[in-house]
Amino acid sequence: MSRGSEVLIDKRLFNLPGMRRYVIILGILVFLQAIAIIVQARYLSIAIVNLWNLMPIGSIILPTSIFTVAFLCRHLLTVWQNRVLFPFVEKTSGDMRESLMAKIFRLGPAEIDKRGTGNIVTMALEGIDQVQTYLMLVIIKMLDMSITPWLILIYILFIRWEQALFLFIIFPVIILFMVILGLAAQSKADRQYEGYQHLSNHFVDTLRGLSTLKQLGLSKRYANNVYSVSESYRTETMSTLRIALTSTFALDFFTTLSIAVVAVFLGFDLLDGKVMLLPALTILVLAPEYFLPIRNFANDYHATLNGKNAMSAVLDVLHQPEMKQRDELPDFKWNQDSMLTLDHVNFTYPETTQPALKNISVTIKGMQKIGIIGASGSGKSTLINLIGGFLSPDKPDQVAIDGHKLPHLDQAAWQKNFLYIPQNPYLFHATLADNISFYVDNASKQSIEDAAQRAGLTEWIKRLPAGLDTMIGEGARTVSGGQAQRIALARAFLDTDRKVLLFDEPTAHLDIETEAALKKDILPVFSDHLVFFATHRLHWIGEMDYVLVMDHGKLVEQGTPAELAQKNGDYVKLRSEMEASDL
Amino acid sequence: MKGLRETFAHDTWVMPYLRKYKGLLILVLFLGFMTFFSGGALMFNSGYLISEAARQPSSIIYIYVPVVLARAFGIARPTFRYIERLTSHNWVLKIVSDFRKKLYQTVERKASAIQRSHQTGDILSILADDIDHIENLYLRTVFPMVIGWLLYLFIVIGVGSLNWVVGLLMLLLLGIIVIVLPLASVATNGVREYRQHQIQHEFYTNLTDEVLGLGDWLISGRYDDFINLQKKPIKQIAQLRKKDHYFQWWRSFFVQFVVLLTTITLLIWAANSFTATKSLANWVAAFALAIFPAVSPFLNMSQGLSEWPVYRRSIERVNQLDRDQPAKVDQNQLEGHFKELKIANVTFKYPDGDRNIVNDISMTIHPGEKVALLGPSGTGKSTFLKLLVGDLIPNDGQILANGKDVSSLQKVRSSLFGILDQQPYLFDTTVMNNVRLGNTNATDDEIKDAIAAVGLKDLIESLPDQYNTEVQETGKRFSGGERQRLSLARILLQDAPIIILDEPTVSLDPITEKKLLDQVFDLLHNKTIIWVTHHLAGIAHVDQVRFLENGHFDMQGTPQELYQQEPRFRQLYDLDRGK
């Protein structure tokens, strides 16, 4: 059983706050319930035996009443157990949900991206629900299994030790067979489950690739492929299922047959006069109750397993290390004299060996416009993410602001100073005005309108049904890539406190006309700001004061565009590779 | 019940399959019934056995039959259950195969070859989930319910034939468990389920919104707002769950209470009718012991049925798919080589749209011509392509290939058009199989030649599994540029005369983009190419540029002419070159 319990129980379960106390209270309730079960069986048997002795109906009133009370107690105790446990489970899972939210915030976008937004959201919603079900199931079931059968067994021992011995011996035999047949089969079934996921993915895969199949003229024919894959999966599943179900069959077979055997032996003993009907009947009534907890435990194997895995996954995220020392940097405002230093910075992504940034040294002072260029994979975005504090350098004290050496740039005081504008700025499901004023508390309507005007949104807003109050984002009005950039731009115009702008390929996916129009509106925001602008659209370089050229994670050249053009080095080479010929 | 009739009024997803696999279905129900019957019979028989044995009859012969039966039922119950499980799973999996095919065919009829992103993936996942739901409908609701009802009838008729009054009482008491409570559960749960679905949906969308915008939350430092936003739905969900749990616990208790009433009824009946003779009294224990295993299948019926609202949504959704299927057009063959593609005064408006996306456009494309199509996003470039290949039918005008309407050439479409789009899909199989999709009759050598032509020979041959390398889900084993080139190899094998390039380089960096475009136009130099692009890199490859704006062409000519004559084009071109 130890293997089984390990499979179904995460050890961290017992470290949940308050767990010990609840286990004791529930243990007492389960104990009382086991007594109710015995009383119920005893008095039902008495009533039956009285009738068997052809006694009048009056003789069964008392035993039937006691049976009734015991029966009701037993089931009320079930409700009671649940009611006692539920507040604990509710609080634990509720707390877990909130800690998960807080953790998501602290882990930041880079880490969440790695795990997949869908996974995290599903975890917070369905994962926690599964944890709740798991906690409700597993605690009571475990206690039930470790108390009820043994109490019943002791009682039977007092009535007739031979049957008690038989039931006692058969218990480990059942478990042994379950383990032998079950574990082998179960691991196969688990693999089958993976196979199932695979098939289900194959199906989704096919549906997603449908337009490609249509392009290739294969889509009609593929229907038969879908069917035959599914059918071969069925044959495979059935062959595994035949073995997998033997585990349940073994349990079922032994428990049912044990009851039959008990009945038959009791029959023979009665025949020989070795035992009276009342004790025999009591044992027969109790025999199924003896096996009930283990059957219950085995029945919801998959539900319990899913719950356990869900809980382990949640706990893993909660125990994920996060960036600490977020308040090393005192509050400050970026100004003409501020200075950001990167001193031989290396950065390696977790689970990789090659650093993505190698030995980057650069000093930035005051309000400048810094272009970052390079081929894809050269480390432009990684550098921007490191400056934004979403990634932490391999070693501490390699970055500094105004001479304060810092472990990383995930500093609350630094984050108050910049805005980050990626390729696809995220638009919240909210009004346009709320989206623009996301970074500014209590922005006046007038100031929002001004910012929108400067970002070139006015014409578009006029055409919207509710103007600035129109809902945008997921599930509401869709916004084109160009307008999304303008909304991000309006945020920058509105928030005059943030003097640093981090652009990561803001126009890469826009069509050339939209980009040309957008450029006109972006340029004014550059003045009086420190700008980092990672791009592979070369025309932006003309607007920069200083250029960093990246190649394979290294900073291969830096200087003003004019200096670099004269050098005839990496910058010139990169430009010639990217540039189209004359017409 | 009215809802039930509505759900199944035009149903093509549930009922037809119940009919199709009728034989197996009856077998499943029979086996399920026998499982519980044997369970009850075992205890019934055992009760009789020990009662009879306790009379100490003179010979063992008197209890011989019950002894044999005890063992028989003891073995029969698990065996029936085992077979029942195998049969029901087999049955459901058979249906799933049919479902998948049907779902695929339904979606296929409406799918378009022109697709800008894989967003629809979410909807498709929902549909795949629906199939799972219908699977569960059978395993968790239909089978247990029907088996329960069969058993119910058996008990009522069995007891009723001995004593009709008690039979009637059983009908009423057990009826509460197997009919009244399940229906009450559906009614209660239906309302709650709806509410729960709403709140969960709200929580789900809000949370996704928050997580996707996490960077902004973090930089803005609005930690408290971030946390508070979810407090309300979290609390609401907790409350709903609580109500749900309490309802279930008390319902289970009530079911047990009815079981108790049933047991007491049986005891009283026994006291009145079976105490006349000793041999009759032996049956008391039989009935009393049989009651608990006999009612065990009833205990979960309410829960099974209360899941109905979830299943119902799924059934309605898949049935919804069957509606608005496109009209059928008589199909033709394309005779001879491709000679011209003529677009004659084509106008198109979406049924729910407010303006013409394509407005009276005419142009003729001849073999070997290379046309680039530009325009800001949302101007209808992809609509135009959909019209071109026949996925949409114009409201006005015609699109003719060699004089035949393209909508009548859908069966032979892949021998007319090859398409390379933004994110060509690689299926989760080997490189070889993926490229082979271009022409399923191609030999291995032809496939290798195509891969060599797109310049991937060295890369693929350097991999441990070479051409049998798995591309993994959505082809993520390879980079964006490599995926495009594998798709290009597919198109080379397909060997269609007209190639449509639908922004194939939008997610590539300029160096990769330049290389890919050079390669595409080099390999496809003798094909007709219609190229939708969002900027001007590589525009020198084409002999005609057209700008689509507000449904019509507003600038057109060779790139050289446009550069010299149109200041707007010149400005854009220079910008694109980084000047």
Side-chain angles (χ1 to χ4, degrees):
Chain A
M1 211 57 228
S2 68
R3 210 22 241 285
S5 352
E6 229 171 84
V7 171
L8 292 179
I9 291 156
D10 191 307
K11 289 227 170 64
R12 290 175 286 192
L13 184 65
F14 299 103
N15 300 332
L16 294 175
M19 188 66 165
R20 210 168 287 269
R21 200 168 71 92
Y22 279 95
V23 167
I24 292 171
I25 299 173
L26 286 169
I28 295 169
L29 291 179
V30 171
F31 185 84
L32 291 176
Q33 193 174 35
I35 291 174
I37 290 170
I38 293 169
V39 172
Q40 170 201 329
R42 181 72 185 176
Y43 283 88
L44 179 64
S45 305
I46 292 176
I48 294 170
V49 171
N50 286 354
L51 292 179
W52 180 80
N53 282 327
L54 307 183
M55 285 158 74
I57 193 160
S59 70
I60 66 162
I61 291 176
L62 184 66
T64 308
S65 307
I66 297 177
F67 160 74
T68 304
V69 172
F71 185 93
L72 289 175
C73 276
R74 172 192 187 172
H75 293 288
L76 277 174
L77 275 163
T78 306
V79 178
W80 195 1
Q81 284 164 11
N82 285 326
R83 288 192 67 153
V84 166
L85 185 59
F86 189 70
F88 167 71
V89 170
E90 194 182 29
K91 186 169 171 358
T92 309
S93 54
D95 287 353
M96 234 180 228
R97 203 168 253 154
E98 279 184 35
S99 334
L100 191 62
M101 295 300 301
K103 189 75 186 182
I104 290 171
F105 189 87
R106 286 198 300 268
L107 281 176
E111 187 62 36
I112 299 303
D113 242 21
K114 212 176 72 195
R115 291 177 175 272
T117 307
N119 285 340
I120 284 286
V121 172
T122 313
M123 183 183 281
L125 190 67
E126 280 149 37
I128 301 279
D129 279 355
Q130 280 175 346
V131 170
Q132 201 176 51
T133 316
Y134 170 70
L135 289 175
M136 283 307 292
L137 281 178
V138 80
I139 300 172
I140 294 180
K141 274 189 178 182
M142 282 301 290
L143 286 170
D144 194 21
M145 201 168 65
S146 42
I147 294 175
T148 313
W150 314 115
L151 223 57
I152 292 176
L153 197 69
I154 291 170
Y155 182 70
I156 295 178
L157 187 69
F158 281 112
I159 307 178
R160 205 174 149 71
W161 66 268
E162 291 94 335
Q163 257 69 33
L165 188 66
F166 172 75
L167 290 175
F168 180 66
I169 291 171
I170 199 78
F171 203 83
V173 173
I174 290 172
I175 286 167
L176 190 72
F177 269 88
M178 258 180 74
V179 171
I180 294 172
L181 280 168
L183 283 181
Q186 208 65 67
S187 73
K188 252 191 172 175
D190 289 346
R191 251 177 290 146
Q192 189 66 44
Y193 188 70
E194 277 167 34
Y196 170 75
Q197 297 293 34
H198 188 77
L199 173 90
S200 161
N201 289 344
H202 170 271
F203 184 56
V204 175
D205 191 47
T206 313
L207 289 180
R208 286 189 185 180
L210 196 54
S211 58
T212 301
L213 289 173
K214 203 137 189 173
Q215 290 164 10
L216 298 167
L218 295 172
S219 55
K220 293 260 186 264
R221 249 193 286 165
Y222 220 73
N224 292 324
N225 180 296
V226 168
Y227 185 76
S228 66
V229 168
S230 194
E231 274 296 277
S232 67
Y233 165 76
R234 178 177 67 85
T235 351
E236 229 174 90
T237 311
M238 288 317 294
S239 70
T240 323
L241 213 57
R242 224 159 277 145
I243 314 166
L245 285 178
T246 18
S247 148
T248 335
F249 176 71
L251 174 71
D252 221 22
F253 182 78
F254 280 108
T255 53
T256 320
L257 200 62
S258 299
I259 296 168
V261 168
V262 167
V264 170
F265 278 123
L266 284 172
F268 287 125
D269 287 354
L270 283 161
L271 206 59
D272 299 341
K274 286 188 204 154
V275 65
M276 299 302 291
L277 180 62
L278 179 59
L281 196 59
T282 313
I283 293 174
L284 192 60
V285 175
L286 281 173
E289 305 283 3
Y290 173 73
F291 293 115
L292 193 62
I294 185 167
R295 292 175 73 139
N296 279 341
F297 191 79
N299 260 345
D300 291 331
Y301 176 82
H302 266 291
T304 322
L305 188 68
N306 284 346
K308 183 235 167 187
N309 290 343
M311 189 171 95
S312 302
V314 173
L315 291 176
D316 284 345
V317 173
L318 289 181
H319 291 144
Q320 177 97 12
E322 57 193 64
M323 286 205 205
K324 293 197 174 78
Q325 301 171 289
R326 291 195 65 233
D327 299 306
E328 297 285 292
L329 186 68
D331 247 355
F332 81 112
K333 278 241 163 81
W334 187 271
N335 58 40
Q336 287 297 342
D337 306 315
S338 304
M339 197 163 74
L340 170 70
T341 318
L342 274 68
D343 179 19
H344 300 285
V345 168
N346 282 305
F347 170 76
T348 316
Y349 280 102
E351 288 147 40
T352 58
T353 47
Q354 277 293 315
L357 291 179
K358 290 174 210 153
N359 212 11
I360 308 277
S361 292
V362 64
T363 301
I364 310 288
K365 197 159 174 280
M367 309 300 188
Q368 296 187 60
K369 292 169 257 317
I370 320 275
I372 304 172
I373 62 168
S376 65
S378 61
K380 297 189 299 272
S381 292
T382 311
L383 182 59
I384 290 276
N385 278 325
L386 187 112
I387 294 172
F390 307 130
L391 300 172
S392 175
D394 289 348
K395 289 203 188 100
D397 296 339
Q398 290 176 328
V399 288
I401 290 175
D402 288 346
H404 291 278
K405 288 200 170 180
L406 300 166
H408 50 71
L409 284 166
D410 186 12
Q411 301 295 327
W414 167 237
Q415 279 170 344
K416 281 183 199 153
N417 277 290
F418 70 80
L419 274 176
Y420 170 67
I421 303 180
Q423 195 179 95
N424 298 302
Y426 190 72
L427 299 178
F428 293 92
H429 178 78
T431 63
L432 180 56
D434 285 346
N435 264 290
I436 292 176
S437 63
F438 186 82
Y439 283 85
V440 183
D441 274 344
N442 312 317
S444 70
K445 184 142 199 235
Q446 186 56 48
S447 62
I448 296 175
E449 272 171 16
D450 287 349
Q453 156 89 42
R454 293 175 71 188
L457 285 166
T458 313
E459 281 306 307
W460 179 60
I461 292 172
K462 271 187 199 152
R463 277 185 281 132
L464 292 177
L468 272 170
D469 296 322
T470 309
M471 290 295 284
I472 58 169
E474 185 67 33
R477 174 171 287 269
T478 48
V479 174
S480 72
Q483 305 296 21
Q485 287 296 347
R486 287 176 188 277
I487 293 169
L489 195 60
R491 287 176 183 164
F493 280 120
L494 184 64
D495 191 340
T496 45
D497 283 345
R498 293 174 188 260
K499 289 294 181 195
V500 182
L501 300 174
L502 302 177
F503 288 93
D504 190 4
E505 304 264 21
T507 59
H509 62 305
L510 299 180
D511 66 272
I512 185 72
E513 285 174 276
T514 308
E515 185 179 11
L518 181 65
K519 191 178 176 187
K520 283 201 197 89
D521 289 312
I522 287 189
L523 289 179
V525 84
F526 282 3
S527 63
D528 194 30
H529 277 89
L530 168 63
V531 177
F532 289 94
F533 201 101
T535 185
H536 53 233
R537 310 282 289 144
L538 293 172
H539 60 88
W540 289 99
I541 300 304
E543 317 297 335
M544 299 294 141
D545 302 327
Y546 200 77
V547 177
L548 309 177
V549 184
M550 302 289 297
D551 188 25
H552 292 95
K554 286 195 202 120
L555 178 52
V556 286
E557 268 188 342
Q558 51 178 309
T560 64
E563 280 167 19
L564 293 176
Q566 278 179 356
K567 259 192 186 167
N568 205 15
D570 293 277
Y571 171 77
V572 174
K573 195 167 144 250
L574 192 68
R575 277 200 80 123
S576 73
E577 276 178 34
M578 287 182 174
E579 234 167 57
S581 52
D582 281 324
L583 275 177
Chain B
M1 280 303 96
K2 193 169 148 257
L4 199 68
R5 212 174 304 131
E6 261 167 42
T7 306
F8 288 111
H10 302 284
D11 166 70
T12 55
W13 285 82
V14 177
M15 290 305 171
Y17 295 101
L18 286 177
R19 265 174 243 129
K20 185 173 173 188
Y21 297 111
K22 216 168 11 194
L24 268 178
L25 176 68
I26 291 170
L27 183 63
V28 169
L29 296 177
F30 170 74
L31 289 168
F33 174 78
M34 285 310 288
T35 304
F36 293 110
F37 173 79
S38 308
L42 171 67
M43 291 314 280
F44 186 88
N45 176 67
S46 303
Y48 178 80
L49 165 65
I50 63 166
S51 301
E52 175 68 26
R55 302 266 178 222
Q56 299 192 333
S58 50
S59 161
I60 194 164
I61 285 297
Y62 288 95
I63 62 162
Y64 184 72
V65 174
V67 164
V68 173
L69 280 180
R71 290 176 187 148
F73 288 130
I75 295 169
R77 198 200 99 92
T79 313
F80 276 126
R81 184 160 182 235
Y82 182 59
I83 305 174
E84 187 261 340
R85 285 186 140 199
L86 283 178
T87 326
S88 60
H89 278 93
N90 191 27
W91 189 85
V92 165
L93 288 170
K94 267 191 179 191
I95 282 201
V96 167
S97 300
D98 284 313
F99 273 177
R100 289 181 193 275
K101 185 175 174 183
K102 185 171 157 71
L103 178 62
Y104 176 83
Q105 286 174 325
T106 317
V107 176
E108 192 270 340
R109 277 197 287 277
K110 284 191 204 169
S112 168
I114 307 294
Q115 182 177 279
R116 281 302 164 89
S117 67
H118 296 298
Q119 279 167 340
T120 42
D122 295 340
I123 301 163
L124 298 176
S125 306
I126 292 176
L127 290 175
D129 280 350
D130 285 339
I131 299 277
D132 290 348
H133 281 158
I134 297 180
E135 218 180 306
N136 277 337
L137 165 72
Y138 290 115
L139 287 176
R140 295 171 58 98
T141 306
V142 174
F143 294 159
M145 287 306 282
V146 176
I147 291 169
W149 284 330
L150 286 176
L151 215 66
Y152 169 61
L153 280 181
F154 177 81
I155 294 174
V156 169
I157 293 171
V159 174
S161 63
L162 296 174
N163 181 323
W164 69 269
V165 180
V166 184
L168 199 65
L169 277 170
M170 292 292 117
L171 182 81
L172 293 175
L173 283 171
L174 295 179
I176 295 176
I177 308 181
V178 303
I179 295 168
V180 179
L181 277 181
L183 289 180
S185 297
V186 179
T188 336
N189 213 36
V191 181
R192 200 177 298 142
E193 161 70 32
Y194 178 72
R195 179 94 188 95
Q196 181 157 325
H197 182 75
Q198 262 184 330
I199 293 174
Q200 279 189 337
H201 183 74
E202 187 194 348
F203 181 61
Y204 186 86
T205 40
N206 279 352
L207 190 58
T208 312
D209 203 41
E210 277 200 308
V211 173
L212 286 174
L214 189 57
D216 289 304
W217 283 105
L218 199 66
I219 299 166
S220 67
R222 293 170 59 185
Y223 176 79
D224 293 332
D225 293 341
F226 180 84
I227 297 295
N228 286 333
L229 210 59
Q230 292 304 350
K231 280 229 166 101
K232 198 178 122 219
I234 285 180
K235 218 169 149 192
Q236 281 175 323
I237 290 181
Q239 265 165 358
L240 274 174
R241 290 264 181 285
K242 193 169 172 177
K243 272 192 195 150
D244 211 32
H245 279 294
Y246 275 51
F247 179 76
Q248 282 180 26
W249 300 334
W250 286 111
R251 186 183 62 200
S252 300
F253 179 76
F254 185 68
V255 168
Q256 292 293 353
F257 182 70
V258 179
V259 170
L260 177 71
L261 291 182
T262 315
T263 315
I264 293 174
T265 310
L266 283 177
L267 275 177
I268 295 170
W269 173 44
N272 284 326
S273 324
F274 292 141
T275 46
T277 66
K278 280 186 177 178
S279 65
L280 210 51
N282 287 345
W283 295 103
V284 177
F287 278 101
L289 290 191
I291 187 74
F292 297 112
V295 298
S296 67
F298 302 161
L299 302 183
N300 292 321
M301 282 170 80
S302 295
Q303 190 53 35
L305 200 62
S306 66
E307 286 166 19
W308 165 245
V310 180
Y311 302 143
R312 180 176 155 180
R313 241 203 319 275
S314 292
I315 294 173
E316 287 176 349
R317 193 156 35 210
V318 285
N319 271 310
Q320 192 68 40
L321 280 178
D322 295 338
R323 290 170 208 156
D324 348 297
Q325 286 290 343
K328 284 216 165 81
V329 180
D330 285 338
Q331 292 300 304
N332 242 317
Q333 293 293 322
L334 184 73
E335 277 141 32
H337 290 291
F338 163 65
K339 289 195 257 340
E340 76 168 11
L341 183 67
K342 190 173 172 155
I343 298 148
N345 306 95
V346 167
T347 297
F348 180 81
K349 180 169 98 79
Y350 282 102
D352 53 352
D354 51 359
R355 64 190 171 94
N356 287 342
I357 301 286
V358 173
N359 201 357
D360 196 21
I361 282 185
S362 296
M363 79 186 277
T364 305
I365 301 171
H366 298 101
E369 280 184 353
K370 316 270 185 287
V371 184
L373 204 60
L374 277 107
S377 58
T379 43
K381 285 175 296 183
S382 59
T383 306
F384 180 71
L385 290 184
K386 282 182 188 170
L387 288 163
L388 213 57
V389 297
D391 278 339
L392 290 175
I393 313 258
N395 300 105
D396 240 329
Q398 272 187 311
I399 296 172
L400 305 162
N402 288 5
K404 285 181 181 153
D405 203 303
V406 285
S407 61
S408 73
L409 295 171
Q410 293 303 302
K411 277 205 169 139
V412 292
R413 184 165 95 181
S414 60
S415 59
L416 188 59
F417 296 108
I419 302 172
L420 186 66
D421 61 17
Q422 279 178 21
Q423 292 165 294
Y425 202 78
L426 293 187
F427 293 88
D428 191 3
T429 172
T430 62
V431 170
M432 198 73 163
N433 287 342
N434 264 297
V435 177
R436 195 193 301 279
L437 289 175
N439 177 0
T440 44
N441 298 321
T443 63
D444 284 6
D445 285 335
E446 283 169 329
I447 294 172
K448 286 178 188 169
D449 288 348
I451 292 174
V454 298
L456 285 175
K457 183 172 192 260
D458 292 343
L459 173 78
I460 303 282
E461 291 188 352
S462 72
L463 299 171
D465 292 324
Q466 300 205 341
Y467 294 94
N468 292 323
T469 305
E470 293 283 332
V471 304
Q472 296 172 4
E473 202 185 326
T474 67
K476 67 181 171 201
R477 169 77 186 68
F478 295 100
S479 73
E482 287 159 2
R483 287 203 288 264
Q484 287 290 7
R485 286 197 275 169
L486 282 174
S487 315
L488 184 58
R490 208 147 64 178
I491 284 172
L492 289 180
L493 280 181
Q494 192 186 345
D495 201 27
I498 307 172
I499 307 295
I500 290 174
L501 304 175
D502 185 12
E503 302 202 349
T505 58
V506 75
S507 49
L508 304 178
D509 72 88
I511 298 173
T512 320
E513 170 175 44
K514 202 174 154 195
K515 283 188 191 146
L516 183 73
L517 287 176
D518 289 348
Q519 197 171 33
V520 166
F521 282 95
D522 177 39
L523 288 169
L524 304 176
H525 65 275
N526 54 356
K527 305 270 183 205
T528 310
I529 294 181
I530 300 164
W531 174 30
V532 167
T533 177
H534 69 297
H535 67 161
L536 295 167
I539 205 75
H541 288 296
V542 302
D543 24 61
Q544 214 188 124
V545 182
R546 287 180 185 238
F547 279 74
L548 189 66
E549 202 144 345
N550 299 324
H552 59 269
F553 298 128
D554 73 341
M555 242 198 310
Q556 61 189 67
T558 68
Q560 291 76 11
E561 280 166 17
L562 287 175
Y563 189 78
Q564 276 149 22
Q565 292 158 14
E566 295 277 351
R568 186 170 136 222
F569 183 86
R570 188 158 53 233
Q571 186 213 343
L572 293 176
Y573 189 76
D574 286 342
L575 192 68
D576 218 17
R577 293 181 63 206
K579 288 185 179 159

